[in-house]
Amino acid sequence: MRLILMGPPGAGKGTQAAAVCHRYGIPAISTGDIFRTNVSAGTPLGVTAQTYMNAGEYVPDEVTNAMVRDRLTQPECRRGFLLDGYPRTVEQVKELDQMLADLQVQLNGVLVLNTDPAALIQRLLDRARTEGRADDTEEVIRRRQEVYADQTAPLVSEYNARGILVSVNGNGRVDHVTDRIHTAIARLGR
Ligand code: B4P
């Protein structure tokens, strides 16, 4: 199973990626999580990523692409993977196409979580209270939504044109969204 999970900040990508990966026994490649781990460890990658993330901007494509290429070539990804939050730009789509061609594998589907805009902001403000992430201030949350609309939303049409896009209602309880995702995955390729 090779999947992409897309959706605006707060749509539930990280939350649902964990459930999907548990069910299918595949690793989640979450670019946001990898960046945060590197920021915490103070690695050179983390130092580069931190400035962009704290401002709500995307980390430069060449940095993100190299990181994903490295992960996809590791043995744990041979049985499949779920890309959580990657690709996010047209350039990343092109690069991912090349990585998959090099590995001689294809995507099974691209899941996009559609969640009401007001709920997105509220979820992230709630998370700010519990986790205190540097990019969960109201100003940065709004900037992240703008960046998504500008740079990532166009990717939905691209994958739709390829016939591999599945839209999933991201509103409501976490377990209800998980059930919808499992139903959508079960229908893939039929
Ligand atoms: P991410 O870590 O991907 O952050 P995100 O878009 O906010 O999504 P996240 O997965 O954390 O939140 P989720 O929707 O699951 O990216 C962070 C930053 O890293 C980016 O802004 C960028 O700077 C950089 N980055 C990452 N990938 C990149 C790339 N490819 N290229 C360039 N830069 C990149 O959940 C949000 C909250 O909602 C959680 O608190 C969760 O508990 C809650 N929630 C989830 N589902 C819910 C539900 N059904 N009901 C109620 N609450 C729910």
Side-chain angles (χ1 to χ4, degrees):
M1 189 63 74
R2 293 178 204 89
L3 299 167
I4 291 175
L5 185 56
M6 287 181 65
K13 298 184 299 294
T15 308
Q16 298 300 333
V20 172
C21 291
H22 179 72
R23 172 111 164 214
Y24 294 96
I26 53 174
I29 302 174
S30 164
T31 41
D33 281 351
I34 302 171
F35 286 136
R36 277 187 291 280
T37 303
N38 278 275
V39 169
S40 299
T43 66
L45 173 62
V47 172
T48 303
Q50 187 168 28
T51 327
Y52 296 97
M53 293 174 79
N54 288 358
E57 305 295 333
Y58 286 163
V59 178
D61 285 335
E62 59 273 22
V63 175
T64 312
N65 287 333
M67 190 175 83
V68 173
R69 182 177 278 279
D70 177 61
R71 283 299 289 271
L72 285 183
T73 51
Q74 288 177 15
E76 62 161 6
C77 291
R78 274 193 209 131
R79 285 186 55 237
F81 50 79
L82 179 138
L83 289 164
D84 158 19
Y86 180 92
R88 291 195 198 209
T89 65
V90 171
E91 199 50 45
Q92 290 180 15
V93 171
K94 282 190 207 152
E95 189 64 24
L96 176 62
D97 286 343
Q98 189 56 54
M99 290 178 213
L100 297 175
D102 292 346
L103 291 167
Q104 299 184 313
V105 296
Q106 288 188 335
L107 291 171
N108 296 87
V110 177
L111 303 164
V112 60
L113 285 173
N114 291 313
T115 307
D116 290 342
L120 300 175
I121 307 280
Q122 193 53 51
R123 287 179 189 181
L124 296 174
L125 289 174
D126 289 346
R127 183 170 69 186
R129 276 190 287 278
T130 54
E131 294 180 22
R133 242 170 73 169
D135 59 347
D136 277 345
T137 63
E138 184 152 4
E139 187 191 350
V140 177
I141 289 169
R142 293 198 187 278
R143 178 63 193 148
R144 284 158 62 202
Q145 302 294 338
E146 284 171 7
V147 172
Y148 179 87
D150 183 40
Q151 299 197 44
T152 309
L155 276 46
V156 172
S157 337
E158 168 65 29
Y159 283 118
N160 193 30
R162 297 184 189 189
I164 54 171
L165 188 87
V166 187
S167 287
V168 177
N169 178 356
N171 295 298
R173 280 171 40 180
V174 171
D175 57 332
H176 290 174
V177 179
T178 305
D179 288 346
R180 287 179 209 134
I181 289 179
H182 289 325
T183 304
I185 291 175
R187 286 198 192 121
L188 282 174
R190 274 197 206 154

